[in-house]
Each structure stands twice: as structure tokens, then as C-alpha cells.
Amino acid sequence: DVTLAREFCREVDKQLKDKSPSAALACYHGIGHGWTNVHDKALWGNEREMVYPALELCKKVAENEHQLKICATGVFDSISIGYYNQAYGLKVKKDDPLWLCREQEPRFKEACYMDMMPAIIWLGEYDLEKSLSFMRFVEEPYLQVSIEGLAENSVRFILAAHKNPQDYLSVCRKLKNPRQAISCIRGLGSGVMQFGPPEKEYLEAVRFCSEAGLDEAEKGACFEQVLTYVKSRYSKEKSQAICLNVEESYRNYCKLE
């Protein structure tokens, strides 16, 4: 009964939205996961048989397009996780790892590309530069969001290896298209927010945007990404306190009232 799932997410939003505005979206993402992590072994190893029923359920539970997209990210994230954990009989096609995304209907393509990036960073041996070579399999309209997601996921392993995300700016700047380079840098910034120390990740993220030797366009993109994360993760009061500690020219991304 998808009504129960929807009601649960509504309750999450009701209880937590003031403290963590994106909690309800995390709920929908988790629903997508749950409907893809199937227990019927007859479906294992068949991405289509696992994905399409889950997407149909996402359509039924979501109340708007944004919730639908977030539910779909959970679906494709499960496939991505299955690839790199070698679970559910899933095996990535190294010669065409993103084939599943290309065959999705347009409303699901961005969600697919975004949440297949953990598998791509795994294929690239957890190295951002190596992983970027797989961007040749991404359809052009989704290239920037894929690069951003790839860079974000790379930060998990950069930090785990006690390395500095700033050292990977040169990798981003090797991308010939300036917009792609900016997307890569945005991803590094959001990666610090995503994988930094809980409740303190914003300190490192703001420092990254401030001190990483970014030019004006790069710096603006970095702050826009990080402060968007801040607004979705923290209460209004905490978000505004954080925003008041960034350079004044970037506070417009906070939309302070």
C-alpha cells in the first residue's frame, strides 16, 4: 500500500522539516532503494526487471515531480551499489556502464546518471581523473550533472585517504569545457558537505570555497553549491548563522530574510 509509504514521509516532514528540511526527500530516496533491493532471486542480475517495477511504484507514491525524481535516485543508487558490491547478481558492463540510463524515459534520465556515479568512481579505481574518462558514455544534456556527481562521490575516497580536495582542482581544470570544469568544482564542494564530519562539514566546505585558490566564477559556483546544501540540511536559524560567516558577496545564495 503506497499510501502508507507516502504518509510516513509526510510524518517525517512534519516532525523534522524545521530541523532538517530535506528529511522528507531522504525518505523518498529510501523508498526507491527499498523497492529495488528485491528479495526475489529470479529477478537478480536483470537490471530492467529490478528497475522498472520500482519506478512505477515511485510514480504512485510521489506527489510531485521532485519527489518522483528523488525516489528514482534511490532506485538507480541501488543498482549502482549492486554493481560495486557485486550484489543481487549485478555485473557492470565495463564497455558501456551507463546503458541503463540511456534507455530511461526522459523524466528519469538525470536521476539515473546522478546516482550511477558511485559505480563509475568504483570503475575508475576511486580516482577522479581516471573516472572522468567514463563520461564519454554520458548523453550530452546530462554531462554536467554527471561530472558534478562524480566529483562529489570522489570526495568520499579523497577524505578517507587523508588527502585534500583542493589538490584535485587541477583535475577539474583539465576538462576542456569551462562549464564542465565548474561542475567538477561544484561537486568537490558538495562532496565536502556530503562526506565531511557530521555537524561540522560546513566548516570544511566553506573553507574549501574560500581558500582553495578559486577564481571568481569557480568561487561563486562553489558557494552556491555549498550554501544550497546548508539550507537543505540545517534549521533556518543555523543556516543563517552559517551564512553570516561567509563573504558578504556570496550571501545571496542563502536567501536570508
Side-chain angles (χ1 to χ4, degrees), residues 130-185:
K130 288 181 181 179
S131 301
L132 281 167
S133 67
F134 290 98
M135 294 298 94
R136 66 186 185 276
F137 296 106
V138 178
E139 294 169 275
E140 200 282 331
Y142 308 99
L143 192 52
Q144 285 179 245
V145 73
S146 297
I147 290 171
E148 186 177 303
L150 187 68
E152 179 178 298
N153 277 277
S154 75
V155 175
R156 179 199 296 265
F157 305 102
I158 292 170
L159 295 178
H162 304 291
K163 295 180 179 179
N164 191 336
Q166 292 185 18
D167 296 338
Y168 291 79
L169 289 170
S170 59
V171 174
C172 293
R173 288 167 175 156
K174 286 180 182 179
L175 293 166
K176 295 179 180 179
N177 185 315
R179 291 188 301 169
Q180 292 174 12
I182 289 286
S183 295
C184 184
I185 291 169

Side-chain angles (χ1 to χ4, degrees), residues 50-66:
M50 295 172 68
V51 162
Y52 293 123
L55 291 176
E56 288 303 311
L57 287 166
C58 283
K59 290 177 183 178
K60 291 180 180 179
V61 76
E63 298 183 275
N64 55 54
E65 282 295 314
H66 191 49

Side-chain angles (χ1 to χ4, degrees), residues 19-172:
K19 180 179 179 182
S20 182
S22 63
L25 293 178
C27 180
Y28 281 98
H29 180 79
I31 287 172
H33 271 293
W35 281 334
T36 313
N37 294 349
V38 293
H39 300 283
D40 183 357
K41 291 187 178 181
L43 304 181
W44 286 15
N46 189 327
E47 290 92 328
R48 294 186 182 98
E49 290 295 323
M50 295 172 68
V51 162
Y52 293 123
L55 291 176
E56 288 303 311
L57 287 166
C58 283
K59 290 177 183 178
K60 291 180 180 179
V61 76
E63 298 183 275
N64 55 54
E65 282 295 314
H66 191 49
Q67 290 174 355
L68 177 60
K69 175 185 173 182
I70 297 301
C71 185
T73 62
V75 171
F76 295 112
D77 200 14
S78 284
I79 299 299
S80 184
I81 291 168
Y83 283 153
Y84 66 73
N85 282 336
Q86 300 179 41
Y88 304 110
L90 294 171
K91 293 184 179 179
V92 69
K93 295 180 181 179
K94 294 184 179 180
D95 59 342
D96 191 7
L98 295 169
W99 64 271
L100 185 64
C101 297
R102 290 200 304 276
E103 67 174 39
Q104 299 306 310
E105 57 180 287
R107 69 198 305 194
F108 293 131
K109 284 194 173 191
E110 183 173 310
C112 183
Y113 283 114
M114 285 172 57
D115 278 70
M116 290 293 280
M117 290 304 105
I120 299 301
I121 201 74
W122 167 71
L123 275 178
E125 300 175 336
Y126 311 110
D127 181 271
L128 177 58
E129 188 163 10
K130 288 181 181 179
S131 301
L132 281 167
S133 67
F134 290 98
M135 294 298 94
R136 66 186 185 276
F137 296 106
V138 178
E139 294 169 275
E140 200 282 331
Y142 308 99
L143 192 52
Q144 285 179 245
V145 73
S146 297
I147 290 171
E148 186 177 303
L150 187 68
E152 179 178 298
N153 277 277
S154 75
V155 175
R156 179 199 296 265
F157 305 102
I158 292 170
L159 295 178
H162 304 291
K163 295 180 179 179
N164 191 336
Q166 292 185 18
D167 296 338
Y168 291 79
L169 289 170
S170 59
V171 174
C172 293

